[in-house]
Amino acid sequence: AQRVTQPEKLLSVFKGAPVELKCNYSYSGSPELFWYVQYSRQRLQLLLRHISRESIKGFTADLNKGETSFHLKKPFAQEEDSAMYYCALEAPGGSYIPTFGRGTSLIVHP
Amino acid sequence: GAGVSQSPRYKVAKRGQDVALRCDPISGHVSLFWYQQALGQGPEFLTYFQNEAQLDKSGLPSDRFFAERPEGSVSTLKIQRTQQEDSAVYLCASSPRDPDLGNIQYFGAGTRLSVL
């Protein structure tokens, strides 16, 4: 069975500090991985996905198959990055049903 | 264009009441998903439609939960004889299932159900 673990419920940093939101997964094959974000009073939306290998709003995430991780990183946090972040896994070739982690609340202090 | 629309945004029900939650997906999106999100948790999969076909309903917690998408567009999630443990935010998402856009999910704002 596939599983996504986000070990931190809350991450609190100061503006300008580096940020790393952890995501570990359990899946026997090669999964598709996503980060979704939910800003205050907004709906859940895609931030980035690993197959795109892109940087969005300064965030990047690298899939590490050896460590089964997909941590989200940003070198210099901004106050507007404060939000809930969810890591999600999909089994490729299937019905595209994602498994979500429980989420990490990022708070960036001024 | 308009995003995924869900109604009502908030619903208060007395225990034992039936409720119906509506989802209007993005026009042309083939796939539609329903999720249940309890407080402090991530979205938990309930059921999945491809057009009008319900391809997976393995996440529905009991036979009190029923979903339909009769014309392959609007979907309704119905909960019969609501219980307190049904209190949660119910999220709907649609996806184009396009070779280029792939399986990106576009979420609605959710319906917050409170069962008293």
Side-chain angles (χ1 to χ4, degrees):
Chain A
Q2 55 203 54
R3 191 169 65 243
V4 175
T5 303
Q6 292 180 252
E8 301 138 332
K9 207 169 182 179
L10 173 66
L11 188 60
S12 182
V13 302
F14 285 99
K15 178 182 170 182
V19 166
E20 181 179 68
L21 292 94
K22 291 184 168 51
C23 173
N24 290 91
Y25 66 89
S26 173
Y27 179 69
S28 57
S30 294
E32 294 190 31
L33 287 151
F34 304 78
W35 277 99
Y36 283 83
V37 62
Q38 187 167 27
Y39 300 103
S40 179
R41 296 191 183 88
Q42 293 187 29
R43 60 190 63 192
L44 200 56
Q45 59 185 292
L46 178 72
L47 179 62
L48 56 80
R49 49 182 176 157
H50 91 273
I51 59 172
S52 299
R53 302 186 67 82
E54 56 196 346
S55 173
I56 303 292
K57 298 185 179 183
F59 284 97
T60 58
D62 291 317
L63 175 60
N64 185 323
K65 291 184 181 179
E67 295 182 359
T68 58
S69 68
F70 188 56
H71 303 326
L72 184 68
K73 300 177 185 178
K74 184 168 182 176
F76 308 104
Q78 303 298 315
E79 289 177 69
E80 56 265 29
D81 296 329
S82 297
M84 280 294 297
Y85 291 81
Y86 296 94
C87 183
L89 175 155
E90 291 184 19
S95 56
Y96 302 107
I97 297 171
T99 299
F100 285 85
R102 67 170 180 175
T104 297
S105 176
L106 174 64
I107 299 175
V108 182
H109 301 281
Chain B
V4 177
S5 177
Q6 290 189 246
S7 61
R9 287 295 313 279
Y10 303 92
K11 177 69 180 176
V12 178
K14 290 184 180 177
R15 193 161 60 98
Q17 220 175 356
D18 297 349
V19 298
L21 312 180
R22 177 188 167 103
C23 173
D24 260 290
I26 293 172
S27 177
H29 277 196
V30 170
S31 301
L32 185 146
F33 300 78
W34 282 100
Y35 298 89
Q36 181 188 62
Q37 187 173 20
L39 194 63
Q41 301 297 319
E44 294 277 347
F45 169 76
L46 293 176
T47 186
Y48 159 65
F49 291 86
Q50 187 173 322
N51 297 307
E52 68 278 1
Q54 189 174 20
L55 298 187
D56 193 317
K57 54 181 180 179
S58 61
L60 296 176
S62 78
D63 58 9
R64 296 186 295 104
F65 287 70
F66 171 77
E68 60 183 5
R69 193 186 186 197
E71 296 177 359
S73 179
V74 171
S75 177
T76 304
L77 176 67
K78 297 179 180 177
I79 309 173
Q80 297 176 322
R81 305 181 303 281
T82 52
Q83 303 294 314
Q84 282 190 317
E85 62 262 28
D86 300 335
S87 296
V89 175
Y90 290 85
L91 294 171
C92 176
S94 68
S95 177
R97 202 174 169 141
D98 176 272
D100 294 321
L101 295 174
N103 42 354
I104 296 172
Q105 304 223 343
Y106 297 82
F107 283 85
T111 295
R112 184 177 296 277
L113 173 65
S114 298
V115 182
L116 306 178

